[in-house]
Amino acid sequence: LSLDKPQPVEFEIKFITGGIVYQYGIQIDLGTFLDSNYNRKILSETLLINEKMIFKRDSSLKIGDINVISDMLIAAFDKNASENMAQNNLNDEELFLTGLFKSLYSSQIVNSITEWFKNKCKVFLRANLMTIEPHIEKAEKNQAFMDKTLNQAIKLFGIHGNNIAYVKSNDNNEMSPYSILSNGKAIPVEIFESCGTERFLNIFPIIIETLQTGATLIVDEFDASLHPMALMSIVGAFHNDEINKKGAQLIFNTHNPIFLNKNIFRRDEIKFVDRDDNTGISNHYSLSDFGTSGPNAVRNTEDYMKNYFINRYGSIRNIDFSDILEERMESVTNEES
């Protein structure tokens, strides 16, 4: 990572929506690190649909086989006119996808892609900030609402109160969770319940919505403060075709080796991130990349967790604070004497 000269940022994603496979990639020059005044430059942009190249844009523009998307083109589409206009108006500060391609080729395709990002791709960069309010219209102040499914789940998880209710406690339509006691008294969850219970209460409605809509949920440190049995049940729900009928997907990172288990994940579902301390570059690879034959093979019969701790797969650090703490305690002892 260079802090004094621009380095391009690359992003590529492949997903399915409406029965169509989209693959979109982009490379952008955003200037130097945290340079807010830099005018971005689109260096390259590519769109594939069902593995067929639709367009590729860098300093110039190449249009692929439009016949692949013939039933999704705009009503007044003219192949030659659209291509000439696109070539002559290409702007390196604007996305071709959401600009010229949408107006000259297919608003339907662009709307499908942006709709997926807006409603089907849920990203939480900090798991402890995951929260979702119930969809309740015209709630009156101090009016309480209970969700049957949520309360059934939270009782299995273990709560101190009898039920959880969402209450509109102010005039800006915000709904806050409260623990309802046996005497009818309501106490804010963050005061009465444990941190783990509050985390579960925040995340479970998101899990339900993800499964109901067939979305992709991406979470940093998903397992933070959650009971491992609750985690296993949630992961199991995504693997259960009777529950996950719409093909929802859960992607999360963790430092917990409990997930290195063949009974929980397939080898291709277990990914590692190994950072090079010299370059700062992180390498991303799957457990299935090791193959099933040869000296580095990973077979289904092996103990993934044990192999990880003996550094068979990389992506592990030897962290020992003993020397640092001994030095500190020695210095404290010398100061006191």
Side-chain angles (χ1 to χ4, degrees), residues 259-324:
F259 295 106
L260 289 171
N261 189 319
K262 60 180 177 292
N263 296 318
I264 304 175
F265 293 112
R266 300 190 310 267
R267 284 170 296 180
D268 62 300
E269 293 178 317
I270 299 174
K271 315 289 184 180
F272 297 96
V273 178
D274 195 4
R275 189 183 68 185
D276 187 310
D277 289 335
N278 295 321
T279 64
I281 296 174
S282 294
N283 296 313
H284 181 259
Y285 53 94
S286 169
L287 189 60
S288 61
D289 291 341
F290 290 88
T292 57
S293 61
N296 297 319
V298 177
R299 299 176 179 85
N300 284 329
T301 55
E302 295 186 26
D303 186 333
Y304 299 160
M305 186 188 300
K306 176 184 176 182
N307 289 343
Y308 174 72
F309 279 113
I310 61 175
N311 203 19
R312 281 275 306 275
Y313 310 138
S315 187
I316 189 171
R317 287 175 173 269
N318 181 22
I319 300 176
D320 186 353
F321 300 118
S322 299
D323 291 342
I324 297 173

Side-chain angles (χ1 to χ4, degrees), residues 118-130:
K118 181 180 179 181
N119 295 319
K120 292 293 188 71
C121 184
K122 305 175 185 297
V123 181
F124 293 89
L125 298 180
R126 293 184 61 183
N128 63 316
L129 298 181
M130 291 181 70

Side-chain angles (χ1 to χ4, degrees), residues 73-79 81-82 103-105:
L73 295 170
I74 60 174
F77 176 71
D78 183 302
K79 184 177 184 298
S82 294
S103 60
L104 297 175
Y105 287 88

Side-chain angles (χ1 to χ4, degrees), residues 113-322:
I113 293 173
T114 54
E115 179 71 13
W116 186 85
F117 276 104
K118 181 180 179 181
N119 295 319
K120 292 293 188 71
C121 184
K122 305 175 185 297
V123 181
F124 293 89
L125 298 180
R126 293 184 61 183
N128 63 316
L129 298 181
M130 291 181 70
T131 184
I132 185 172
E133 292 184 9
H135 302 295
I136 302 170
E137 297 181 1
K138 298 181 180 179
E140 300 294 332
K141 188 174 182 180
N142 295 326
Q143 189 174 2
F145 297 87
M146 292 187 186
D147 183 282
K148 179 181 177 182
T149 304
L150 177 60
N151 273 289
Q152 288 174 332
I154 205 74
K155 286 177 181 177
L156 288 175
F157 190 79
I159 60 172
H160 293 106
N162 284 0
N163 285 294
I164 296 294
Y166 284 88
V167 180
K168 182 186 176 185
S169 53
N170 50 40
D171 296 324
N172 60 4
N173 291 322
E174 289 185 357
M175 304 291 293
S176 303
Y178 282 74
S179 291
I180 309 300
L181 308 188
S182 56
N183 60 5
K185 187 175 182 179
I187 302 177
V189 162
E190 66 270 19
I191 295 176
F192 194 70
E193 303 292 347
S194 68
C195 178
T197 300
E198 185 181 5
R199 275 275 292 115
F200 181 80
L201 176 64
N202 288 335
I203 198 173
F204 197 70
I206 299 175
I207 297 299
I208 293 174
E209 185 177 275
T210 300
L211 291 167
Q212 287 178 336
T213 60
T216 296
L217 177 61
I218 304 171
V219 190
D220 177 46
E221 301 289 354
F222 175 68
D223 55 330
S225 301
L226 284 182
H227 193 285
M229 294 305 293
L231 287 168
M232 296 304 177
S233 181
I234 291 172
V235 170
F238 280 85
H239 283 143
N240 188 333
D241 292 339
E242 295 300 315
I243 297 174
N244 191 7
K245 297 180 179 180
K246 295 188 177 180
Q249 188 175 20
L250 173 64
I251 302 172
F252 65 94
N253 72 326
T254 179
H255 294 289
N256 192 339
I258 193 174
F259 295 106
L260 289 171
N261 189 319
K262 60 180 177 292
N263 296 318
I264 304 175
F265 293 112
R266 300 190 310 267
R267 284 170 296 180
D268 62 300
E269 293 178 317
I270 299 174
K271 315 289 184 180
F272 297 96
V273 178
D274 195 4
R275 189 183 68 185
D276 187 310
D277 289 335
N278 295 321
T279 64
I281 296 174
S282 294
N283 296 313
H284 181 259
Y285 53 94
S286 169
L287 189 60
S288 61
D289 291 341
F290 290 88
T292 57
S293 61
N296 297 319
V298 177
R299 299 176 179 85
N300 284 329
T301 55
E302 295 186 26
D303 186 333
Y304 299 160
M305 186 188 300
K306 176 184 176 182
N307 289 343
Y308 174 72
F309 279 113
I310 61 175
N311 203 19
R312 281 275 306 275
Y313 310 138
S315 187
I316 189 171
R317 287 175 173 269
N318 181 22
I319 300 176
D320 186 353
F321 300 118
S322 299

